[in-house]
Amino acid sequence: MNEPNIDPKLLKPYDPKETEDRIYKLWEESGFFNPDVCIEKGITDKDAETFSMVLPPPNVTGTLHIGHASMLTIEDIMVRFARMQGKRTLWLPGTDHAAIATQSKVEKILEKEEGKRKTDLGREEFLKRVNKFAQESHDTIINQSKKMGASLDWSREAFTLDDKRNFAVRTAFKKMYDDGLIYRGHRIVNWDPKGQTVISDDEIVYEERKAKFYTFKYGKDFPISISTTRLETKVGDVAVAVNPTDERYKEFVGKTYIIEDFCGVKLEIKVVADNAVEKEFGTGALGVTPAHSQIDAEIAIRHNLPTKQVINEFAKMTVEDERILNKKTTEVRTIIAEWLKNEGLLEKEEEVDQNVSTAERTGGIIEPLPKLQWFINVNKPIKDRNDKTLKELMLDAVRSKGINIIPDRFEKIYFNWIENLRDWCISRQIWYGHRIPVWYKGEEIYCGIEAPKEEGWIQDEDTLDTWFSSGLWTFSTLGWPDLNAPDFKTYHPTSMLETAHDIIFFWVARMILMSTYILGVVPFKTVYLQGVVRDAQGRKMSKSLGNAMDPLEVSGKYGTDAVRMSLIIGTGPGNDTKMSEDKIRAYKNYANKLWNITRFILSSTEKIKFDENFSNYSEKDIELKKERYELIVEITKEMEEHKFYLVGDKIYQYTWSRFADIILEESKEIFNNGTKEEIISRKQFLLETLNILLKVLHPFMPFVTEEIWSLVPEDNKKLLMVEKWPQ
RNA sequence: GCGCGAUUAGCUCAGUUGGUAGAGCAACUCAUUUACACUGAGAAGGUCGGGGGUUCAAGUCCCUCAUCGCGCACCA
């Protein structure tokens, strides 16, 4: 068969490798990722409804993984759909400095490659290294995002630690400080001995381990036995607390006992009654260590007990006994256990399951320590916000449906988190990050957006929790604190926030906090939460398991469109995605199927172009048009409901099982034996259907559809990415 | 301990307000140069996790149990 009228490219199978970079370049050069350009060129109406969304900024800690690919795909589908609907569409890219994560990564590299510590370099030199690493990661990430086909407006790219965002951070900090929401307090915090910094409650991950649960007495003459897994802290005990209703111990309450020698340490133990103690747990008596336990510290405050610190920042003991001093806590635990055994004080030693608190980023075992740190008060009424607290503002935003969370079961998880929320510790003892905008001079303290002009002020050494700057992201990227910035006025609140459900507290909640407090509005109207990408067996993908799938590698092998489709289909919101190469291969075949459908249609319609005004359709084709119309109505509704997993599958079904297998086959018969009218009608129908399929598929498979679009003869054709969504 | 989710064909998942179970992938049989082998046609595959209940009718609603996953709390 000779096909003189079609592009020779179509005679070979579809080649994503040859196509994708070229198409992405075409999109970039068109400027259509930028909504201003779309307006300028008459693609979008200036007064059109807006659709705005920030890209959850990837951490500059390396490269993108398949989870990022999934995020980019879902968001790109939303954005391309909105753009094709004629909305004024902004998808804003950026990267996150990810303070602790990035710093500890660079520390590791420094240690491995040069055998140096950050202190060997000093703050300034070390930060230079971090910035260099961050820049390299950034470049990789941007490249990878482009490979995935993401239609991000690169002209508006932001970084959580650039000058503009730093200004926003200082402005927000100052406002919170002036409103009394940010305060400095001395209290028990989560100290990470490995990362040498404080972390917030949310940065703790619990690991289940076996532990020994010891029951013992401080001394032969002490009347009450207590139980603990942390024997080493007992040298810091100042009291024993019992439940006020516990008859067993009533007679001892109020008495103080001196233990002259508890493994070389003198203890003064007062017996107190406190409701926090459960009668049924252990012996029903609790050894109170105010310096190294949150609950104990609270009990100590209630009973006016002293605090005695016995562990330092390196998780080493500080008490004056040569058996203990400067040793690791875990070592001392066994030393004390031995001592108790020898003294005949140890009554029981049981094996129990225990949740050990570890630092999310470094894996260090958390050591509760009393420290002076900066906090955000979540329970203080705020004058400008009707005396509501930050907690209440966060609750109201979702309760009032100002923010809609998809799937809605995450609302409960969100509420539950807020109910248990304590003040947010925002200071970190690391170098990489936003420096706290507070200066000291003797007893004086100054908080300001800029440093004080006079001599002698010294800035706080600490930096801010990375999530402080991320919390401002929806508006710090749009020109805030300038309330008249055009982007801020046009695009905030944003329409959608799509992200992985594991950062709902870290990020989603903090954005709601910052936006409702600072601006009095929600940061976004809808939150779409996605699950985790897993392997074919449902295991989490990880480097150590060796089952990690590199998005770029599979894209190179099967084409980006195929990877995108397999990340979407079969995965509802909030659910985990299971990925396998089989699945990707299937959608690679589908891209090629579309290619061949095009070849057939173009070669059998020759030079005919689709005519919008054609009306002489055969009865059979009118029916087919109706069927297709109903499909489009259905999927358009589902697109608006964010049910991309259904839409993708339905288009796939229609194109392959219905359009290719049935309609194209029956067209051959018509072309051979039909009347002139039937033939021309069918040709128009096929061209029109191809046109429509390319449009509805475009958000899912942007590359192959754009490429085919360029091969279909039509007058005054725009890029497919800015064509109108069909009806 | 409290709460959430899942459990449907070998695998991954759909299944709208209750009306006799669907798709993709894999496997199976056939076709062999067709727009397309990155193909087509066909057949096979399920007491919808177990038990109980409501109903004329339950994959769907209610109760209960089990297994898996997740969140929170506890973790003296």
Side-chain angles (χ1 to χ4, degrees):
Chain A
M1 199 202 278
N2 68 336
E3 290 129 344
N5 301 310
I6 66 169
D7 195 300
K9 215 189 275 179
L10 273 169
L11 299 175
K12 288 187 225 149
Y14 172 60
D15 179 9
K17 268 212 184 98
E18 185 281 322
T19 309
E20 292 176 0
D21 287 351
R22 179 166 46 79
I23 293 283
Y24 196 88
K25 214 172 145 218
L26 212 63
W27 290 331
E28 267 197 297
E29 282 166 0
S30 75
F32 292 147
F33 292 166
N34 180 342
D36 303 334
V37 174
C38 289
I39 291 168
E40 225 171 84
K41 299 218 174 141
I43 301 284
T44 312
D45 187 21
K46 196 172 180 300
D47 304 317
E49 185 186 337
T50 60
F51 179 87
S52 54
M53 176 166 67
V54 292
L55 173 77
N59 292 349
V60 286
T61 48
T63 55
L64 297 187
H65 51 70
I66 197 86
H68 291 111
S70 164
M71 170 182 92
L72 287 163
T73 303
I74 296 172
E75 292 177 20
D76 195 45
I77 289 174
M78 293 174 174
V79 166
R80 286 182 187 270
F81 176 58
R83 197 183 287 121
M84 290 177 85
Q85 282 181 306
K87 291 183 186 167
R88 187 169 172 178
T89 305
L90 173 63
W91 187 21
L92 196 147
T95 45
D96 195 318
H97 71 288
I100 295 182
T102 309
Q103 165 155 339
S104 52
K105 186 115 192 188
V106 175
E107 278 183 82
K108 264 180 212 156
I109 294 170
L110 193 65
E111 170 81 42
K112 199 176 162 193
E113 289 178 1
E114 301 175 41
K116 285 184 188 162
R117 293 181 172 205
K118 66 171 190 275
T119 41
D120 298 333
L121 299 182
R123 189 163 188 154
E124 202 179 326
E125 180 57 29
F126 178 73
L127 283 179
K128 268 190 200 160
R129 302 288 188 99
V130 181
N131 286 330
K132 184 167 171 276
F133 175 84
Q135 184 60 45
E136 285 164 8
S137 296
H138 161 272
D139 297 348
T140 310
I141 287 166
I142 301 308
N143 254 320
Q144 287 181 302
S145 306
K146 291 182 177 180
K147 291 269 182 201
M148 287 309 299
S151 57
L152 285 154
D153 181 1
W154 298 108
S155 73
R156 285 177 164 87
E157 193 194 335
F159 179 50
T160 54
L161 194 56
D162 61 19
D163 290 343
K164 284 181 185 166
R165 263 44 67 173
N166 182 251
F167 181 64
V169 162
R170 282 177 282 140
T171 307
F173 188 101
K174 169 109 172 70
K175 177 172 165 59
M176 295 186 107
Y177 182 87
D178 291 345
D179 283 348
L181 291 172
I182 286 183
Y183 66 94
R184 203 175 186 214
H186 189 82
R187 64 167 64 173
I188 304 277
V189 289
N190 310 305
W191 178 260
D192 169 14
K194 206 165 172 184
Q196 285 294 302
T197 180
V198 164
I199 60 171
S200 66
D201 295 342
D202 297 287
E203 287 164 288
I204 291 176
V205 283
Y206 296 101
E207 277 178 30
E208 191 156 292
R209 292 185 196 176
K210 293 274 179 224
K212 291 242 169 72
F213 191 54
Y214 304 94
T215 302
F216 68 98
K217 277 186 179 151
Y218 293 109
K220 288 196 173 67
D221 302 325
F222 194 79
I224 304 171
S225 300
I226 60 162
S227 303
T228 185
T229 53
R230 296 212 57 192
L231 264 186
E232 72 280 9
T233 65
K234 297 295 103 182
V235 294
D237 280 11
V238 296
V240 162
V242 297
N243 191 285
T245 63
D246 199 328
E247 295 299 330
R248 293 173 290 178
Y249 305 122
K250 225 163 198 173
E251 54 177 310
F252 308 115
V253 172
K255 289 183 180 160
T256 299
Y257 298 81
I258 309 282
I259 293 102
E260 288 297 339
D261 177 22
F262 181 79
C263 201
V265 179
K266 183 179 171 182
L267 298 181
E268 195 176 323
I269 304 288
K270 188 179 181 187
V271 180
V272 298
D274 196 285
N275 283 320
V277 183
E278 281 177 43
K279 282 193 271 189
E280 287 72 30
F281 193 93
T283 62
L286 155 70
V288 182
T289 324
H292 301 291
S293 155
Q294 184 77 44
I295 297 175
D296 294 15
E298 286 161 19
I299 293 174
I301 290 167
R302 285 196 285 270
H303 300 276
N304 205 16
L305 299 165
T307 293
K308 187 171 147 197
Q309 185 167 344
V310 295
I311 299 168
N312 68 13
E313 281 78 2
F314 301 96
K316 288 186 174 160
M317 304 299 294
T318 57
V319 289
E320 296 289 335
D321 182 278
E322 74 276 6
R323 285 168 291 185
I324 297 176
L325 186 66
N326 268 330
K327 287 194 174 139
K328 279 190 197 162
T329 51
T330 43
E331 260 176 84
V332 172
R333 192 172 303 164
T334 48
I335 291 169
I336 295 181
E338 276 307 305
W339 181 84
L340 285 171
K341 233 179 254 173
N342 292 337
E343 298 289 314
L345 295 169
L346 190 65
E347 294 168 4
K348 223 192 311 180
E349 198 180 318
E350 302 159 81
E351 183 124 302
V352 292
D353 291 319
Q354 192 193 215
N355 282 331
V356 179
S357 311
T358 64
E360 188 212 9
R361 289 297 173 184
T362 65
I365 294 177
I366 297 304
E367 193 60 64
L369 289 181
K371 284 202 153 282
L372 185 61
Q373 297 294 327
W374 290 96
F375 295 88
I376 290 181
N377 189 333
V378 293
N379 292 307
K380 185 187 162 81
I382 303 157
K383 249 192 221 143
D384 294 347
R385 297 285 172 258
N386 294 326
D387 281 328
K388 287 195 171 146
T389 66
L390 290 174
K391 261 191 185 181
E392 287 163 347
L393 288 175
M394 283 191 276
L395 280 176
D396 286 356
V398 177
R399 229 179 238 154
S400 68
K401 293 283 163 196
I403 296 173
N404 179 31
I405 300 181
I406 302 170
D408 55 15
R409 63 188 146 94
F410 283 99
E411 286 184 4
K412 279 189 187 168
I413 297 176
Y414 175 81
F415 291 142
N416 184 259
W417 176 79
I418 293 176
E419 278 154 25
N420 291 301
L421 187 62
R422 289 183 298 189
D423 286 0
W424 172 17
C425 179
I426 51 169
S427 45
R428 298 290 180 272
Q429 290 67 56
I430 58 170
W431 290 343
Y432 188 53
H434 294 279
R435 191 92 173 251
I436 289 180
V438 170
W439 287 261
Y440 308 99
K441 190 160 124 186
E443 293 297 297
E444 279 182 274
I445 190 165
Y446 173 84
C447 172
I449 294 171
E450 304 298 339
K453 293 202 174 65
E454 313 88 75
E455 294 286 301
W457 287 91
I458 298 162
Q459 187 169 9
D460 196 300
E461 288 289 314
D462 288 355
T463 51
L464 284 167
D465 180 1
T466 190
W467 300 104
F468 188 97
S469 55
S470 318
L472 309 171
W473 195 243
T474 59
F475 50 98
S476 69
T477 52
L478 294 174
W480 186 87
D482 176 7
L483 296 174
N484 289 314
D487 274 2
F488 177 70
K489 282 163 73 178
T490 309
Y491 299 109
H492 202 274
T494 60
S495 320
M496 169 65 72
L497 189 274
E498 195 278 346
T499 193
H501 66 65
D502 55 353
I503 55 171
I504 183 166
F505 308 139
F506 284 126
W507 195 41
V508 179
R510 265 69 176 269
M511 282 192 284
I512 297 173
L513 180 155
M514 290 296 189
S515 186
T516 52
Y517 159 64
I518 294 177
L519 306 171
V521 294
V522 294
F524 29 70
K525 292 163 198 155
T526 305
V527 177
Y528 179 105
L529 295 167
Q530 66 171 95
V532 178
V533 181
R534 297 173 178 277
D535 73 2
Q537 283 116 63
R539 297 175 304 176
K540 245 185 190 168
M541 288 191 181
S542 75
K543 275 182 196 153
S544 52
L545 268 175
N547 61 349
M549 194 180 265
D550 176 4
L552 252 51
E553 197 192 309
V554 283
S555 281
K557 205 164 159 190
Y558 301 102
T560 300
D561 293 322
V563 175
R564 289 172 60 118
M565 278 296 262
S566 50
L567 282 166
I568 293 302
I569 295 178
T571 307
N575 293 343
D576 292 349
T577 310
K578 300 218 174 103
M579 277 296 269
S580 66
E581 289 211 17
D582 274 349
K583 198 172 167 187
I584 305 174
R585 199 179 303 118
Y587 293 110
K588 176 189 160 62
N589 295 350
Y590 178 57
N592 195 54
K593 186 74 184 178
L594 209 60
W595 192 257
N596 284 313
I597 286 171
T598 308
R599 183 198 302 178
F600 174 77
I601 295 178
L602 293 190
S603 58
S604 50
T605 55
E606 298 185 14
K607 274 184 176 162
I608 297 174
K609 288 174 190 164
F610 167 54
D611 176 6
E612 261 180 68
N613 300 317
F614 181 82
S615 57
N616 196 19
Y617 282 105
S618 69
E619 224 164 275
K620 175 75 188 163
D621 290 343
I622 289 172
E623 245 172 74
L624 292 177
K625 277 168 73 83
K626 186 165 170 270
E627 173 195 49
R628 191 191 61 204
Y629 171 79
E630 281 163 2
L631 174 74
I632 300 303
V633 170
E634 193 178 313
I635 63 172
T636 303
K637 183 167 167 277
E638 285 164 348
M639 286 299 280
E640 272 155 4
E641 292 165 351
H642 319 295
K643 293 177 179 166
F644 311 120
Y645 60 108
L646 289 181
V647 177
D649 200 36
K650 278 181 186 170
I651 303 174
Y652 178 95
Q653 301 280 348
Y654 178 81
T655 356
W656 204 312
S657 317
R658 183 75 189 135
F659 190 56
D661 290 347
I662 310 287
I663 298 174
L664 291 193
E665 287 306 318
E666 133 198 314
S667 301
K668 290 177 189 169
E669 171 64 21
I670 294 174
F671 293 154
N672 286 329
N673 303 315
T675 65
K676 235 182 192 173
E677 286 75 22
E678 281 170 342
I679 292 172
I680 188 73
S681 161
R682 180 51 61 105
K683 285 183 177 177
Q684 283 295 330
F685 174 77
L686 294 184
L687 284 168
E688 186 186 29
T689 307
L690 178 63
N691 177 304
I692 288 175
L693 282 179
L694 291 175
K695 287 177 186 169
V696 295
L697 259 175
H698 180 73
F700 295 84
M701 307 181 88
F703 291 110
V704 68
T705 51
E706 187 75 74
E707 174 72 349
I708 294 176
W709 184 255
S710 76
L711 302 173
V712 175
E714 200 173 317
D715 302 323
N716 303 322
K717 200 163 45 175
K718 295 184 294 231
L719 284 174
L720 180 58
M721 67 165 284
V722 289
E723 281 290 332
K724 288 282 167 289
W725 183 262
Q727 294 185 339

